[in-house]
Amino acid sequence: MKVIICGAGQVGSNIAHYLAMEDNDVTVVDQSPTLIGKLTDTLDCRGVAGHASHPDVLKEAGAEDADMLIAVTYTDEINMVAAQVAHSLFNVPTKIARIRSQSYLAPEWQNLYTRENLPIDVIISPEIEVARAVMRRLTVPGATDMIPLCGGKVRLVGVRCEEDCPLVHTPLRQLAQLFPDLNIVVVGMVRDGKSLIPSADDQFLPGDEAFFVVDEEHMGRALTAFGHDETEARRLLIFGGGNIGLFLAQQLEREYPWVNAKIIEKDETRARHIASQLTKTTVLCGDVRDQELLMEANVTSAETIVSVTDDDETNILGALLAKRMGSQRAVTLINKALYEPLLNNLGIDVVVNPRNITVSQILQQVRRGRIHSVHSLREGFGELIEAEALETSPLVGEPLRDVKMPAGVLLGAIVRDGQVISPRGGTIVRPKDRIVLFAASDSVRKVEKMFSVRLEFF
């Protein structure tokens, strides 16, 4: 597949990394020759230095025979014009654009994005997606990550194994013996900042982060097995009243009206604006690193603080200060990947990375075959994939023990007629089953082929 990526920032470079690693024909366009040079030096991709919305630049990038354009520059207008030029002049089939300004995304202007007006096939709004990701983590106390799959029937859950975790030093092969009726499959582990694909003989150690796929009905028991039985927060403190903080507060007011939420926003004008948009949430104006203000906000009784300002250092310091003053749990937004491995040791409970969330949304549109959703767990680690099994898939019709699975692929769950099946050696996959699996980065292309429609199918 031939893909043009407009923007060589964090998101653009990560998308280029994923796609180039899978032997796609990737060209990256950016105004900065320095960024282009760094990418082409480290990845098997072409680079074009220039303005991403200029027709001559897109032509040089190969737009005339491109299959997809992904516009993720820092400017909404450039992303929108690049998509328009790709459609009108070069007839590029698929256009994906990142749009941040909420003025462009208001429901009253939804007719803007049609083939007759502004032909963008998929719009990615990072702020909305991040707010949803934070919300998912808040609904599962104790989890570092939570992703619903198969219409909510299955969940991917990340948890940290503490010293008192009942499963510490337990080989994974014994999980089925200890919990025979618990539909759970461990698909990944992170130890000392390094991602691991576990084998049956691997054990959990204190400090490990475990990722497992579980039947939604069994999620509570699974969390308890890992030593997490926290209750949902009813007192919440949000640091930062930007789009993410506002979306989060609005969603809480709509869906969880019993939660007592407060927002601290530094900018007085912005604080007044978000206060006018909310009905139940208290808005305070000031610096989240001000101890007196945190006392006024009653941080000592806040069960969870969510730090989502536009500055990583402020998010980290504000979260650490809140926890020292008595808050039980800290969810922190971090843009710089360099900080992420350091935060667990500092006491930050949950880290939210906007880049990974945005990349996952875009990969979902790029993946081929009967793939319904894709989620990037960690940079360079692999992807959690939800796909539909076809009659021509090599998975179908034989016991799983006889299927030659690609290296680095683990089946997490099978959903058939609304029922969740935990895959075992004797399990036989049927056509139209919904499959949840984890694939290491270098195995993703093989998984795509497993779920692609072959010619003999027609």
Side-chain angles (χ1 to χ4, degrees):
M1 182 165 58
K2 188 169 184 177
V3 182
I4 298 174
I5 300 172
C6 300
Q10 290 186 344
V11 171
S13 59
N14 269 266
I15 290 293
H17 172 77
Y18 275 99
L19 298 184
M21 207 166 45
E22 297 164 15
D23 299 325
N24 292 288
D25 184 350
V26 177
T27 301
V28 182
V29 179
D30 197 279
Q31 287 183 293
S32 170
T34 303
L35 289 178
I36 290 295
K38 286 181 180 179
L39 272 183
T40 54
D41 286 345
T42 57
L43 297 179
D44 182 14
C45 68
R46 287 183 62 228
V48 175
H51 203 287
S53 61
H54 287 180
D56 58 329
V57 174
L58 290 180
K59 182 178 180 179
E60 183 183 351
E64 291 175 311
D65 58 350
D67 300 299
M68 179 180 294
L69 178 135
I70 302 172
V72 287
T73 74
Y74 290 111
T75 306
D76 290 351
E77 290 75 15
I78 292 177
N79 295 338
M80 296 162 75
V81 173
Q84 180 72 69
V85 171
H87 173 81
S88 301
L89 298 184
F90 302 110
N91 200 28
V92 177
T94 304
K95 287 79 59 183
I96 300 173
R98 177 174 64 180
I99 296 179
R100 284 195 168 100
S101 174
Q102 299 311 299
S103 178
Y104 289 128
L105 301 175
E108 59 189 302
W109 313 126
Q110 60 184 345
N111 290 332
L112 175 63
Y113 306 103
T114 62
R115 291 185 66 84
E116 295 76 21
N117 297 321
L118 190 54
I120 300 175
D121 301 292
V122 180
I123 293 172
I124 305 294
S125 174
E127 287 82 2
I128 293 176
E129 298 302 333
V130 169
R132 289 172 177 166
V134 171
M135 198 70 210
R136 290 197 299 267
R137 289 161 171 81
L138 292 177
T139 58
V140 186
T144 59
D145 204 349
M146 196 285 283
I147 299 171
L149 301 148
C150 301
K153 291 285 185 180
V154 176
R155 307 290 177 97
L156 180 282
V157 180
V159 294
R160 189 162 291 109
C161 299
E162 307 294 351
E163 291 280 354
D164 57 353
C165 172
L167 297 181
V168 164
H169 303 303
T170 301
L172 298 189
R173 66 171 67 255
Q174 293 185 12
L175 287 182
Q177 301 170 14
L178 294 171
F179 307 99
D181 59 342
L182 186 62
N183 289 344
I184 177 175
V185 176
V186 178
V187 296
M189 297 166 60
V190 176
R191 178 175 298 161
D192 298 328
K194 296 180 180 179
S195 302
L196 309 171
I197 299 174
S199 68
D201 295 321
D202 281 322
Q203 302 179 16
F204 297 114
L205 299 180
D208 285 356
E209 186 176 4
F211 292 94
F212 59 85
V213 174
V214 64
D215 184 336
E216 190 275 336
E217 295 182 357
H218 298 175
M219 189 167 62
R221 291 174 53 209
L223 286 167
T224 300
F226 279 91
H228 292 280
D229 53 3
E230 297 90 338
T231 58
E232 286 190 22
R234 290 183 172 270
R235 294 179 296 277
L236 190 70
L237 192 54
I238 301 170
F239 293 172
N243 287 333
I244 297 173
L246 177 58
F247 292 147
L248 186 58
Q250 289 174 328
Q251 193 169 358
L252 286 168
E253 289 189 349
R254 284 194 307 269
E255 301 178 20
Y256 302 90
W258 57 86
V259 173
N260 179 7
K262 298 175 183 176
I263 296 180
I264 298 178
E265 166 56 38
K266 188 174 184 179
D267 183 82
E268 184 176 351
T269 302
R270 178 65 183 177
R272 292 182 184 277
H273 170 71
I274 60 176
S276 69
Q277 303 295 309
L278 299 167
T279 57
K280 292 178 69 251
T281 307
T282 301
V283 179
L284 302 174
C285 184
D287 192 326
V288 300
R289 296 165 295 185
D290 183 339
Q291 293 192 47
E292 292 185 5
L293 180 61
L294 292 183
M295 289 298 293
E296 181 185 344
N298 201 14
V299 68
T300 55
S301 66
E303 293 154 322
T304 300
I305 68 101
V306 180
S307 197
V308 288
T309 75
D310 59 2
D311 181 77
D312 284 358
E313 289 77 11
T314 299
N315 288 337
I316 294 170
L317 293 174
L320 293 176
L321 182 58
K323 288 207 70 173
R324 194 183 74 177
M325 295 177 69
S327 180
Q328 299 172 21
R329 191 166 182 248
V331 179
T332 306
L333 181 74
I334 297 296
N335 286 284
K336 298 174 185 173
L338 179 66
Y339 289 154
E340 196 166 340
L342 308 174
L343 298 184
N344 292 342
N345 296 330
L346 293 177
I348 303 294
D349 301 284
V350 179
V351 176
V352 178
N353 187 320
R355 180 182 58 188
N356 288 347
I357 294 167
T358 305
V359 167
S360 292
Q361 290 295 314
I362 294 173
L363 286 177
Q364 186 167 324
Q365 309 303 323
V366 173
R367 294 287 170 241
R368 292 167 288 187
R370 293 294 179 88
I371 292 178
H372 294 269
S373 67
V374 176
H375 303 275
S376 174
L377 293 189
R378 290 284 178 119
E379 185 177 337
F381 183 21
E383 299 173 19
L384 191 73
I385 297 173
E386 175 190 340
E388 180 183 334
L390 300 170
E391 291 181 12
T392 56
S393 171
L395 277 176
V396 170
E398 294 185 43
L400 290 178
R401 66 170 68 93
D402 298 330
V403 176
K404 293 182 179 179
M405 297 289 290
V409 175
L410 295 175
L411 261 63
I414 300 168
V415 178
R416 179 184 302 154
D417 299 327
Q419 298 298 312
V420 180
I421 301 169
S422 189
R424 300 286 186 258
T427 304
I428 296 177
V429 176
R430 298 177 186 172
K432 298 186 178 180
D433 281 355
R434 194 64 66 90
I435 311 295
V436 175
L437 56 83
F438 172 80
S441 297
D442 54 1
S443 300
V444 171
R445 284 294 295 277
K446 296 175 183 177
V447 170
E448 283 186 344
K449 292 178 180 178
M450 290 170 63
F451 293 98
S452 294
V453 180
R454 299 177 186 173
L455 290 177
E456 61 263 30
F457 183 71
F458 295 99

